[in-house]
Amino acid sequence: MTTLAAPARTGADKAGGGWRRRFGRLPLHFVVILLLVIWLIPTIGLFINSFRPSADVQASGWWTAIFQPSQLTLSNYTYVLDSAGIWPAFINSLFITIPATVIPIFVAAFAAYAFSWMSFPGRNILFVAVVGLLVVPLQTTFIPILQLFGVFHLNGQFLALWLAHTGYGLPFAIYLLRNFMGSLPREVFESASIDGANHVTSFLRLALPMTVPAIAALAIFQFLFVWNDLLVALIYLGAANPQNAPLTIVVANLVSSLGSGWWYLAAAAFLSTALPLVVFLSLQRYFVRGIVGGSVKG
Amino acid sequence: MTGKSTFGIRRAGVLLATAGLVFAACGSGTATTAPAASTAAGSSAAGSSAAAGSAAAGSAAASPSVPPASFDPTAIAAAKTYAATLGSNIGGSVSVLAVWGGTEQAQFLGMLQPFEDATGIKVNYTGTRDEPAVLTAGIASGQLPDVAGLPGPAQMIQYAASGKLQDLSSMLDLAAYKGQTPDSLVQLGTTSGKLAGVFLDVSAKGQIWYDPAVTGDLSTTPPASWDALTALATTDKAKATSPWCFSVESGAASGWAATDVLESFVLKSVGPTVYNSWWAGKTKWSDPAIKTAFQDLGTMVAGSFGGSARILTTNFANAGDPLFTSPPGCLFLHQASFITGLGAFANKTRLTDYNFFPFPAIDPQYSGAVEGAGDLFGAFSNTPQTAALMKYLVSSQAQTLFVAGGEFLSANKGVTNYPNSMNQGLGALLSGATSFVFDASDQMPAAMQTEFYKQLLVYIQTPSQLDAVLADLDSVQASSY
């Protein structure tokens, strides 16, 4: 596609070049739109199904609704919103997710700075060990951590989930931030050091502001991981304290033990997705500004 | 120099942030919900779809302040009176873990409301279809709920042997419990002389479902024998594409629906004695009695709508959907009582759109034998709250509330007040059974059960391989008991 567009730049025939540029890009646009549609089809199907009555959802595919828009209804949404416990669960999810996003990023930023710019014995071995933890499946940790939490009577508390998610999130967070901080220009830190800055100043005034884009990206990953988590919440809350159950547990429970009621899940999924989508789409501008404004003035 | 690296950093940042946003946009659309696949066989009984969900409770977090609409006020009052006899001001709390969600959960919490009101005990209920995983982690780490649904009789024996399960005979009024419960259920809950588990609900397995509009109403004159049913299918041949509807897909537990059919054939042809020695590993799979049952199953497969391709690829919940198409795809469906809440049944009216008759006897002397399954519950603590709750849960007063939504059938013979005549019929079938046997595949050792599921799928795919299938099952039987 680039080879098609390139001749237009010669300027030998401006009118013809514009024409060729416009039509030369057609295949590119076509392919991009096609990929976009293929990519979005499952989500669109789920979205349309969330507005269809249960009998229709079970009887025919979502595309049939396109030809009969009159059958669309909000009943699935009202059912989900009316089911008791959905609002407390929403608040619980926020209570779980926000600290479980902030704590690991906070810890990881310190760790990443230390791994990048402080020299101490065993630094590389430690870093390899931390990154190595990425391959440990979190399921293998359930039983020992449950026992540990049991000693401190943490099971069923929000704190248990914060600690668990911090632990599960840290290896990736440290890996990501350390790679980003490590690629910052060494000269900046050297000149700061000559000017008398200690490590705390370097971290707070230089490393942290320059790492904002990576932190923003990491925050999105970690927020979504915790927000969408069902298993970790189930294990550490268990039966001990259902009042603390997050949205995922309540949503999963809309379905009965043999699977009836699954047609409410589409509506519930979109309600549960709404908050992360709104947050990230509205913060998008901030993220971009952070990327441009946070780095070194050159 | 710095300018160049700044550019690199900016690009890396943009890339990361974009990746995050893409992840946000598409990841959340697909990853939010829990796995929708159904769990193992016979984990619950559901009588009908009903409209229980609209009323009151739906969640673990909130206690229902309004009882489900299906509850009769006098039944609520009776349950409350009974709960008050357990102690009026016990207070405290008790945690319960079970697989029930949706309308089942609403029904369960509704049943608990009079108990909470009368005793002051707060019941913390957590429902999840991942209950076996949560319970397994809990058993291993010692962090257990007070009361929990148990995955099956085999696990119950294992937990009781390791000392985790409490002996319920000290909590319950044992004589009353034994008087109200079918013997086979009491036996199933007993291990090493201790009562370790009780059934809070049962489902009747092996009903034949049909559409009265197609075959006519058979509820008063059901086929008296398997031959009569076959003859009826031949007479009504022109009314549907095939005589049978059948499908077995159920995620990792695919095949369990076929085990139920095979169990019906075994039970109704050679009776409970052989049935019980078969699941206990004392009758071989290659025994002529079991082999005949396999052949009967093969005949059903051959006469099924869509053939083995549909059987293997359609979810069990949708097996009976062709009953209601026009023209009908099939005349009959073999499934347990919980099918009424699933697939096309969920949106049909009982009795007018669908009805059932019991699996007819192949040998007339076994016409009264019934197969069932149910949810087994055990206690992991021995607090006054747990004891009060267990007493309440098995009482006929509480069970009457439990079945009122049409979701469940009761294991308590004292419960006669079902919400509709179909559930009344299913309840009578269970309480009137000359012999009641529990789902055979659920009682087999895990390795045997898995192989049973798997080999049935092989047999449905290639019926000519019957001897190889039975030989394989025999070898697993030899090694897994």
Side-chain angles (χ1 to χ4, degrees):
Chain A
M1 271 107 238
T2 40
T3 49
L4 279 174
R9 295 202 168 220
T10 59
D13 181 355
K14 274 198 170 171
W19 184 88
R20 283 179 72 177
R21 185 189 305 164
R22 202 165 292 166
F23 285 87
R25 286 201 168 180
L26 258 183
L28 176 72
H29 289 171
F30 179 75
V31 170
V32 168
I33 290 170
L34 187 76
L35 284 176
L36 199 70
V37 169
I38 293 172
W39 186 249
L40 280 177
I41 275 179
T43 314
I44 293 170
L46 194 71
F47 189 66
I48 292 177
N49 258 351
S50 72
F51 290 102
R52 300 176 70 212
S54 65
D56 292 350
V57 174
Q58 293 187 78
S60 58
W62 57 269
W63 51 88
T64 49
I66 299 168
F67 308 109
Q68 297 155 293
S70 59
Q71 56 167 233
L72 297 181
T73 160
L74 282 171
S75 64
N76 292 335
Y77 284 91
T78 50
Y79 177 89
V80 173
L81 289 174
D82 283 349
S83 59
I86 204 99
W87 292 110
F90 194 80
I91 304 295
N92 285 345
S93 271
L94 285 175
F95 253 92
I96 293 165
T97 309
I98 293 171
T101 308
V102 172
I103 301 170
I105 290 178
F106 192 71
V107 177
F110 281 119
Y113 180 83
F115 280 129
S116 314
W117 301 112
M118 291 166 77
S119 48
F120 52 90
R123 184 176 82 163
N124 286 337
I125 292 170
L126 256 180
F127 183 64
V128 167
V130 168
V131 173
L133 287 176
L134 275 172
V135 303
V136 177
L138 62 88
Q139 289 86 344
T140 60
T141 65
F142 286 156
I143 290 166
I145 293 184
L146 261 179
Q147 284 169 327
L148 187 68
F149 283 172
V151 173
F152 297 102
H153 300 287
L154 284 179
N155 289 317
Q157 310 297 324
F158 285 133
L159 183 57
L161 284 178
W162 296 343
L163 290 175
H165 281 301
T166 300
Y168 297 141
L170 269 182
F172 179 66
I174 293 175
Y175 173 69
L176 188 96
L177 291 184
R178 141 71 237 204
N179 280 359
F180 198 87
M181 273 194 197
S183 67
L184 294 174
R186 173 171 290 275
E187 293 84 348
V188 181
F189 293 93
E190 281 170 354
S191 26
S193 175
I194 291 165
D195 290 346
N198 58 12
H199 278 305
V200 176
T201 316
S202 290
F203 173 71
L204 291 176
R205 297 282 182 82
L206 296 172
L208 209 55
M210 286 192 284
T211 317
V212 163
I215 290 178
L218 182 63
I220 297 175
F221 280 118
Q222 179 70 8
F223 187 94
L224 283 172
F225 176 74
V226 180
W227 183 265
N228 289 336
D229 162 74
L230 172 71
L231 188 61
V232 174
L234 262 182
I235 296 287
Y236 295 121
L237 292 179
N241 205 350
Q243 282 85 354
N244 287 353
L247 201 54
T248 44
I249 291 184
V250 175
V251 163
N253 254 12
L254 292 170
V255 183
S256 76
S257 58
L258 282 160
S260 75
W262 57 267
W263 41 88
Y264 298 120
L265 287 181
F270 277 97
L271 288 173
S272 156
T273 315
L275 180 93
L277 268 186
V278 167
V279 168
F280 295 120
L281 291 180
S282 60
L283 288 185
Q284 192 186 14
R285 183 178 297 177
Y286 166 80
F287 290 139
V288 174
R289 194 189 300 152
I291 292 158
V292 179
S295 50
V296 212
K297 304 290 180 290
Chain B
M1 173 70 201
T2 38
K4 207 174 176 184
S5 25
T6 308
F7 180 68
I9 292 162
R10 282 180 190 169
R11 273 183 46 161
V14 171
L15 201 72
L16 278 170
T18 316
L21 279 167
V22 167
F23 189 68
C26 47
S28 45
T30 49
T32 319
T33 53
S38 297
T39 47
S43 50
S44 165
S48 88
S49 62
S54 57
S59 129
S63 291
S65 50
V66 186
S70 55
F71 283 14
D72 175 21
T74 55
I76 297 176
K80 208 165 169 173
T81 311
Y82 175 74
T85 64
L86 302 170
S88 57
N89 262 319
I90 305 177
S93 68
V94 55
S95 56
V96 180
L97 183 68
V99 289
W100 295 316
T103 48
E104 301 161 343
Q105 177 177 295
Q107 205 64 30
F108 183 66
L109 292 179
M111 166 175 79
L112 291 173
Q113 190 60 45
F115 173 77
E116 294 189 305
D117 289 347
T119 59
I121 299 171
K122 171 105 186 66
V123 180
N124 289 322
Y125 172 74
T126 304
T128 168
R129 287 181 296 151
D130 293 316
E131 200 244 358
V134 177
L135 195 62
T136 308
I139 291 280
S141 65
Q143 301 298 312
L144 286 162
D146 295 315
V147 175
L150 306 171
Q155 286 86 348
M156 182 200 78
I157 293 168
Q158 187 192 331
Y159 298 162
S162 64
K164 306 272 186 196
L165 280 173
Q166 301 291 323
D167 185 1
L168 295 173
S169 36
S170 60
M171 295 190 197
L172 304 175
D173 179 353
L174 202 58
Y177 173 71
K178 284 184 173 167
Q180 290 169 334
T181 313
D183 269 348
S184 52
L185 292 182
V186 178
Q187 287 310 315
L188 271 168
T190 308
T191 169
S192 322
K194 288 180 186 166
L195 184 66
V198 290
F199 285 89
L200 295 193
D201 68 273
V202 284
S203 52
K205 291 212 162 186
Q207 278 67 248
I208 309 287
W209 301 88
Y210 63 93
D211 180 354
V214 177
T215 52
D217 185 8
L218 302 170
S219 59
T220 49
T221 53
S225 66
W226 182 252
D227 291 338
L229 177 58
T230 316
L232 181 67
T234 315
T235 319
D236 286 350
K237 205 176 173 187
K239 293 181 181 172
T241 317
S242 306
W244 290 98
C245 269
F246 189 27
S247 74
V248 299
E249 191 278 324
S250 183
S254 290
W256 70 258
T259 69
D260 285 3
V261 180
L262 189 83
E263 286 156 13
S264 288
F265 280 120
V266 172
L267 179 65
K268 293 292 187 167
S269 60
V270 291
T273 316
V274 179
Y275 179 96
N276 285 331
S277 93
W278 165 55
W279 65 253
K282 289 166 193 146
T283 298
K284 291 184 86 169
W285 291 84
S286 49
D287 188 275
I290 310 297
K291 187 172 178 177
T292 311
F294 267 88
Q295 283 160 342
D296 287 338
L297 175 69
T299 313
M300 187 193 272
V301 168
S304 286
F305 179 71
S308 59
R310 179 179 184 273
I311 296 174
L312 293 169
T313 56
T314 307
N315 189 263
F316 75 94
N318 300 102
D321 292 3
L323 283 171
F324 309 110
T325 53
S326 181
C330 60
L331 298 169
F332 304 112
L333 167 73
H334 173 288
Q335 191 46 279
S337 51
F338 50 68
I339 190 66
T340 57
L342 301 172
F345 283 90
N347 299 300
K348 299 286 177 184
T349 315
R350 67 177 79 83
L351 301 179
T352 52
D353 288 338
Y354 63 86
N355 206 340
F356 79 97
F357 55 85
F359 195 95
I362 298 170
D363 182 334
Q365 60 172 312
Y366 303 123
S367 62
V370 176
E371 182 192 339
D375 286 315
L376 194 56
F377 273 69
F380 291 102
S381 77
N382 195 4
T383 62
Q385 289 83 2
T386 306
L389 181 67
M390 292 311 287
K391 268 187 209 142
Y392 178 76
L393 287 175
V394 299
S395 71
S396 62
Q397 288 89 341
Q399 290 276 318
T400 302
L401 289 181
F402 199 30
V403 302
E407 301 277 334
F408 295 102
L409 300 174
S410 177
N412 189 315
K413 287 188 281 193
V415 176
T416 49
N417 196 8
Y418 283 97
N420 57 65
S421 58
M422 178 177 286
N423 284 18
Q424 198 84 47
L426 288 163
L429 192 68
L430 287 168
S431 55
T434 51
S435 58
F436 178 91
V437 295
F438 197 76
D439 192 309
S441 63
D442 285 354
Q443 296 185 84
M444 292 174 184
M448 188 74 251
Q449 186 190 41
T450 311
E451 197 61 20
F452 189 9
Y453 290 176
K454 198 177 116 194
Q455 290 302 326
L456 274 174
L457 300 181
V458 173
Y459 178 58
I460 290 166
Q461 176 87 43
T462 48
S464 58
Q465 295 294 308
L466 179 56
D467 288 327
V469 163
L470 294 175
D472 179 277
L473 287 165
D474 270 344
S475 72
V476 174
Q477 188 187 51
S479 65
S480 59
Y481 283 86

